[in-house]
DNA sequence: CTGAAAGCGCTTACAG
DNA sequence: CTGAAAGCGCTTACAG
């Protein structure tokens, strides 16, 4: 690979001058600029980004830590991030947090070691204490996605998962359902806790009793939803609605109900969360809560890029809310009419 | 951020010695090693990866260029890559090729400028000539995924898309279908061409006529398949089977058929490609061709890591083949019995 | 408008 | 076993 020295020799100027034309800085005679361009051209020279980073102390890179790699949700998150990073001339370094607090910490260390300008952390497992510890170790700005952080030194962009969950549950309640089965998630994340809490509170508000036999944890996959629903059915207890913590599990549940001859939505209404694209194409089409993943990604990246460019940022917390998409899988509770 | 100099001062040794303990190279007295470790600990020192890269001329990073961000397929590709890179102590830099040859070229340049040890290129648009040009510009090893390259200086790992397509078509032919509608793809990629060619040739082999009115292009989305199928239906020409170039479009097509009262599979059999997880959970469940995306990613990453580590590699081309997964959406052609 | 020199934070022969 | 010095490929005051 040719270096700046090769270019400077061929062009017959100092490397300082070459550097200036590369970065378009300072005054340079047109004729020498031309000379340098020619030399770069014939050598097919590309400045070594690593050396530039070392000299300027900015790496022009953004680190992204995530543990989610499934579904439309993640694809949008990543495509949008890559696009925005690209537009800003930054490179995106993607790291798997393995859904484990320890590994997420290591991922941060590794991105810090690489001197990322800023880190995007889509975290599910770190505790508030962990977040404190991180700040003690590094001064690299961190934008946390999907979590609300009680610490003004963080920038966080998150979904109001309590609200999203309440939307789903209230949708069923409004349709007159009073016995609602629930497929929660086995991962113990803040998101799951908030969603479950909303489920409890919404029932409570209507003075309804939460039957724990009708609550089973899945693993966010279609199959997990299928299995969880089988377990619920095996309880042999009546229910007229089912709420799954994501669309994949809702689809699995519908399949399980279908297999034992329970009709959706005539006998059981089903609602999910995520608004996966296939939801409007399955039969029956799926009622769900849409989370604005594109918006959240854009907001997070905008903050990240501002931070990388040293722009002052005043808002440290941004909240996004979902909305119900009503389709065929939910209907009024016939038994309560 | 503390540097190696800070550590060396605090520990009272030269930075050469610090470097040695960091990299565990050469002989070091236990006592001084301890001293250095202590200093690193109290300063919370992390070596600057960029400086290391500059000094050693290896960046310990792998570039990945892709244009696909949808579906399970991409999630597996990315998760697997991230995991393997991580295990090997490499970082993964992800770049969007924007499904455009020009942009893919720029993406390569940018990864080369960052001195990636090796580049993984999931390309859909570059021509054989483009591949030649790239080689003239850079000596960074490139592993091409999803394409067969007629150039031994490349390493390529690809699906036999002709074969996969033939599997789908022959599956329908074996069930006695003779008039088969086809939802192809509007993107003009090598993959699409190969799949269409297989469609043509399989029909030809059975001396069947290909009715072009029954061939419509979609855009790989569910909605695209839905619209394409509407167009096909609007032709008012009989067909007993439909082959879509991916599962998403197949699902959309089933929905369109459903809406006009055409029963799947009783009146029309439908087959897709990809084996998306939801395929076994929709109604009717979807017959499809599974492409071993996990295998192909592993193979590509293994080659990439070997290249990064200077291991000699003898195989420059690896081919993977899919297999039919038969489910409910296809059945024997009743009219031909 | 341009060059010589110092510096970014590491590694690695070379000497001892 | 350890240190001084040169070098990786850039940038950027400083001088002229």
């Amino acid at each position: 690979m040719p270096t700046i020295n090769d270019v400077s020799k061929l062009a017959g100027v100092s490397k300082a001058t070459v550097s200036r034309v590369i970065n378009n800085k300072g005054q340079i005679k047109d004729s020498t600029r031309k000379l340098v361009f020619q030399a770069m051209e014939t050598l097919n020279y590309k400045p070594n980004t690593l050396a530039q980073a070392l000299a300027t102390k900015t790496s022009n890179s953004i680190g992204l830590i995530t543990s989610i790699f499934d579904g439309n949700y993640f694809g949008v998150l990543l495509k949008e991030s890559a696009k925005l990073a690209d537009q800003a001339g930054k490179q995106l370094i993607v790291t798997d947090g393995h859904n484990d607090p320890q590994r997420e910490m290591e991922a941060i260390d590794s991105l810090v070691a690489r001197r990322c300008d800023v880190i995007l952390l889509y975290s599910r497992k770190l505790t508030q204490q962990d977040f404190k510890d991180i700040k003690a170790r590094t001064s690299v700005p961190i934008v946390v996605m999907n979590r609300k952080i009680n610490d003004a030194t963080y920038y966080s962009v998150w979904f109001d998962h309590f609200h999203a969950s309440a939307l789903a549950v209230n949708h069923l309640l409004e349709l007159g359902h009073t016995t609602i089965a629930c497929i929660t998630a086995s991962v113990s994340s803040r998101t799951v806790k908030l969603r479950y809490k909303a489920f409890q509170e919404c029932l409570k508000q209507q003075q309804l009793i939460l039957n724990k036999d009708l609550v089973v944890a899945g693993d966010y996959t279609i199959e997990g939803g299928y299995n969880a629903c089988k377990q619920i059915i095996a309880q042999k207890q009546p229910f007229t609605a089912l709420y799954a913590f994501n669309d994949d599990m809702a689809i699995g549940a519908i399949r399980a109900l279908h297999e034992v001859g329970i009709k959706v939505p005539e006998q059981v209404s089903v609602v999910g969360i995520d608004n996966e694209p296939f939801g409007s194409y399955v039969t029956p089409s799926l009622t769900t809560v849409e989370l604005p993943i594109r918006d959240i990604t854009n907001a997070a990246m905008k903050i990240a890029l501002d931070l990388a460019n040293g722009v002052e940022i005043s808002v440290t917390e941004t909240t996004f809310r979902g909305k119900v998409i009503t389709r065929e899988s939910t209907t009024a509770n016939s038994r309560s009419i």
Side-chain angles (χ1 to χ4, degrees), chain A:
Chain A
M1 299 246 84
T3 73
I4 199 171
N5 278 308
D6 301 322
V7 177
S8 83
K9 267 178 214 151
L10 183 60
V13 298
S14 76
K15 56 183 186 168
T17 301
V18 176
S19 176
R20 289 195 192 95
V21 347
I22 291 172
N23 298 296
N24 206 8
K25 262 188 187 165
Q27 313 258 49
I28 311 129
K29 238 201 303 185
D30 260 14
S31 58
T32 80
R33 185 197 305 275
K34 203 163 285 176
L35 243 50
V36 172
F37 271 128
Q38 261 170 26
M40 295 202 293
E41 184 83 15
T42 73
L43 291 175
N44 208 311
Y45 168 75
K46 306 269 179 252
N48 182 328
T49 323
L50 299 173
Q52 289 180 314
L54 192 59
T56 61
K57 288 169 166 265
T58 54
S59 67
N60 271 317
S61 65
I62 294 177
L64 171 65
I65 302 172
T66 178
S67 301
I68 305 180
F69 290 88
D70 316 304
N72 178 60
Y73 191 88
F74 168 68
V76 173
L77 165 64
L78 201 81
K79 189 182 178 62
E80 210 65 16
S81 307
K83 193 181 77 186
L84 294 172
D86 207 64
Q87 280 171 6
K90 308 272 179 192
Q91 281 185 300
L92 188 70
I93 300 177
V94 178
T95 312
D96 186 353
H98 294 90
N99 231 336
D100 174 90
Q102 177 74 26
R103 303 287 290 270
E104 285 183 351
M105 287 291 221
E106 287 169 16
I108 291 173
D109 281 344
S110 127
L111 293 174
V112 168
R114 188 155 283 251
R115 301 298 187 268
C116 284
D117 299 335
V118 50
I119 293 175
L120 251 63
L121 177 57
Y122 196 108
S123 172
R124 306 206 281 189
K125 293 304 186 89
L126 295 178
T127 65
Q128 298 286 338
Q129 183 57 46
D130 290 333
F131 283 114
K132 281 220 180 69
D133 294 347
I134 291 166
K135 274 297 163 182
R137 298 162 78 162
T138 174
S139 57
V140 176
I142 298 182
V143 179
V144 178
M145 299 182 72
N146 193 41
R147 292 285 294 277
K148 179 184 157 112
I149 308 298
N150 305 324
D151 178 341
T153 62
Y154 278 94
Y155 298 87
S156 69
V157 177
W158 65 299
F159 292 126
D160 187 340
H161 285 296
F162 182 93
H163 177 257
S165 183
L167 282 179
V169 179
N170 284 330
H171 171 74
L172 295 174
L173 294 173
E174 282 160 17
L175 288 171
H177 297 280
T178 53
T179 46
I180 303 176
C182 185
I183 300 180
T184 63
S186 43
V187 280
S188 80
S189 67
R190 189 81 196 130
T191 297
V192 170
K193 279 179 195 139
L194 284 170
R195 289 188 181 171
Y196 190 64
K197 198 170 163 208
F199 178 59
Q200 292 177 304
E201 296 201 359
C202 288
L203 291 183
K204 204 170 175 183
Q205 253 180 19
Q206 302 299 318
Q207 275 122 34
L208 294 173
I209 293 158
L210 193 166
N211 179 350
K212 290 224 170 152
D213 293 342
L214 295 178
V215 177
V216 175
D219 61 359
Y220 278 134
T221 67
I222 298 179
E223 203 179 342
Y226 175 85
N227 292 331
C229 191
K230 284 274 186 195
Q231 276 186 53
I232 291 170
I233 293 166
Q235 299 293 324
K236 305 255 180 219
Q237 301 194 26
F239 61 99
T240 65
L242 183 148
Y243 162 39
F245 276 15
N246 76 347
D247 284 354
D248 278 339
M249 295 196 293
I251 297 289
I254 289 177
R255 183 73 176 184
L257 293 167
H258 180 77
E259 279 188 12
V260 298
I262 297 176
K263 287 200 177 119
V264 177
E266 293 81 355
Q267 294 172 270
V268 170
S269 286
V270 175
V271 61
I273 291 190
D274 276 355
N275 193 25
E276 289 279 349
F278 62 74
S280 54
Y281 290 90
V282 291
T283 311
S285 59
L286 187 67
T287 295
T288 186
V289 175
E290 178 186 39
L291 299 177
I293 175 66
R294 178 166 278 117
D295 295 344
I296 211 177
T297 307
N298 279 318
M301 277 298 282
K302 179 163 179 3
I303 293 171
L305 291 170
D306 281 352
L307 287 169
N309 296 324
V311 176
E312 198 71 33
I313 295 171
S314 49
V315 184
T316 62
E317 193 193 307
T318 319
T319 307
F320 285 87
R321 295 193 150 190
K323 65 165 189 274
V324 175
I325 312 265
T326 308
R327 288 196 283 247
E328 298 167 357
S329 67
T330 50
T331 190
N333 180 12
S334 50
R335 305 184 207 177
S336 71
I337 287 171

